[in-house]
Amino acid sequence: MNISRIIMIASLILLFAGNMFSQGRVINTTMPCSLLDGITEREYSIYLPESYDKDENRKYPVCYLLHGGNCACTDWDTFGRLRIVADSLIQCGEMKEMIFVCPEGNKNNMIWFNAPHWKYEDFFFNEFVPYIESEYRILGDRDNRFIAGYSMGGGASIVYGLSHPDMFAAVYSMSGYLRRQYMEFLKNDPSAEWRQQLVEDHNPIRRVSESVDKDIASWKNIDWFIDCGDKDFTYEANIDMVQAFRDKGINYQLRVYGGGHDWDYWRPSLIRALKHVSSEIK
């Protein structure tokens, strides 16, 4: 076992040990929905820190967490142990108290973007975010709003940051799925082609590479963080994303650790992401 893995395991043990003193909670619930065809309620998960129920006048920064393909909003807590990680980081003084919101992006149609029959991006920005930030005590300004995700959610986080630079102070992508790539398990999926085409249509590498000065100036105001495993099938695309940022003079941070495209990598990546977005709170 290499030294970096030993350090990470030790950190997890310390974090989880601190959880016995914390009282944050994750709620799995639904919201009214009118912008997704045929859907009247949409699921989401939300993490509220311990103090949320104790100080009714306090408002909090927020980070939206986008899951990967064929996953669910509940996976952040089920597999990523969101509540335990957030509680422990707060308890240890490694993270400020904040709210984490996990929208459902897989049920019915797995895509974070607009399609002719499924206007998910419109739903996210015009219905989901306004609902969440009015229903919960969220600060609701750009300096206190962040977005992160893994796999397809990581790619969508970058795309959302590029398309809505006035919305997010920081974008943290874990193993971002950024462009069309052949995957064997999708060969018999009849919905795979339109989904892959939408991913390619929103390819953030190409968008940054072909950008104009006005867009570049707005993107320079975002804190970009790329986190990817060295054995991940998205590794080359993520390096190309970094190169596109470099070519346009857009600041970023890149971290590459040993690992692949799975929760063995995303669990420690989530710890890094939560600590990082917290450090960006003004």
Side-chain angles (χ1 to χ4, degrees):
M1 184 179 293
N2 60 43
I3 187 65
S4 62
R5 189 162 182 81
I6 292 172
I7 292 172
M8 180 57 68
I9 291 172
S11 298
L12 287 169
I13 292 171
L14 290 172
L15 288 174
F16 296 162
N19 184 62
M20 67 182 70
F21 304 107
S22 303
Q23 301 294 326
R25 57 194 175 107
V26 168
I27 304 169
N28 299 315
T29 186
T30 62
M31 61 165 283
C33 175
S34 63
L35 294 180
L36 297 176
D37 286 350
I39 306 298
T40 57
E41 287 189 331
R42 193 66 175 173
E43 296 84 355
Y44 68 93
S45 298
I46 185 167
Y47 167 84
L48 301 174
E50 179 180 14
S51 67
Y52 188 86
D53 296 317
K54 298 179 179 179
D55 184 352
E56 295 182 355
N57 296 314
R58 182 177 176 183
K59 293 187 176 183
Y60 297 81
V62 63
C63 180
Y64 293 90
L65 297 175
L66 309 186
H67 62 70
N70 295 320
C71 300
C73 61
T74 54
D75 286 8
W76 287 105
D77 194 45
T78 302
F79 300 110
R81 300 161 189 163
L82 173 61
R83 184 190 64 80
I84 294 174
V85 170
D87 279 354
S88 300
L89 287 173
I90 292 168
Q91 183 71 27
C92 296
E94 294 291 318
M95 188 184 83
K96 299 169 186 174
E97 286 192 310
M98 57 188 301
I99 290 173
F100 294 95
V101 184
C102 314
E104 174 58 50
N106 180 60
K107 192 175 181 180
N108 306 106
N109 289 291
M110 178 58 235
I111 198 67
W112 294 105
F113 311 126
N114 284 345
H117 64 297
W118 191 249
K119 304 295 185 181
Y120 193 91
E121 189 169 347
D122 289 351
F123 161 75
F124 183 86
F125 286 97
N126 298 329
E127 194 163 37
F128 184 75
V129 170
Y131 174 85
I132 292 295
E133 297 189 4
S134 63
E135 188 74 8
Y136 300 92
R137 297 196 311 276
I138 289 172
L139 288 168
D141 61 275
R142 180 187 181 276
D143 286 344
N144 289 286
R145 187 187 297 116
F146 312 92
I147 192 165
Y150 67 87
S151 192
M152 287 184 71
S157 296
I158 294 177
V159 173
Y160 281 8
L162 295 175
S163 299
H164 305 268
D166 58 324
M167 288 288 290
F168 305 107
V171 174
Y172 196 110
S173 174
M174 316 172 207
S175 314
Y177 187 72
L178 306 175
R179 62 190 178 199
R180 175 194 290 269
Q181 292 185 235
Y182 176 77
M183 289 183 282
E184 178 70 17
F185 72 91
L186 290 178
K187 66 180 181 180
N188 296 320
D189 182 351
S191 67
E193 176 52 33
W194 72 263
R195 188 180 302 112
Q196 287 273 45
Q197 187 58 53
L198 278 174
V199 169
E200 186 58 34
D201 289 345
H202 290 82
N203 185 326
I205 305 166
R206 183 176 63 247
R207 182 170 183 181
V208 172
S209 298
E210 298 173 356
S211 59
V212 297
D213 290 345
K214 181 180 178 181
D215 288 335
I216 295 170
S218 67
W219 297 337
K220 286 183 177 180
N221 293 321
I222 297 175
D223 175 68
W224 300 96
F225 203 114
I226 307 296
D227 185 339
C228 189
D230 59 357
K231 298 175 180 63
D232 197 302
F233 70 88
T234 67
Y235 173 82
E236 288 79 9
N238 278 276
I239 296 302
D240 288 347
M241 185 76 254
V242 166
Q243 188 61 54
F245 282 148
R246 288 172 64 90
D247 291 344
K248 298 298 182 179
I250 299 170
N251 289 331
Y252 64 89
Q253 292 190 59
L254 168 68
R255 298 292 185 275
V256 177
Y257 298 91
H261 202 81
D262 51 45
W263 275 109
D264 286 342
Y265 189 86
W266 298 325
R267 271 188 291 271
S269 184
L270 179 60
I271 296 172
R272 295 190 290 269
L274 268 55
K275 291 173 66 173
H276 180 73
V277 297
S278 171
S279 73
E280 291 299 305
I281 296 171
K282 298 295 189 289

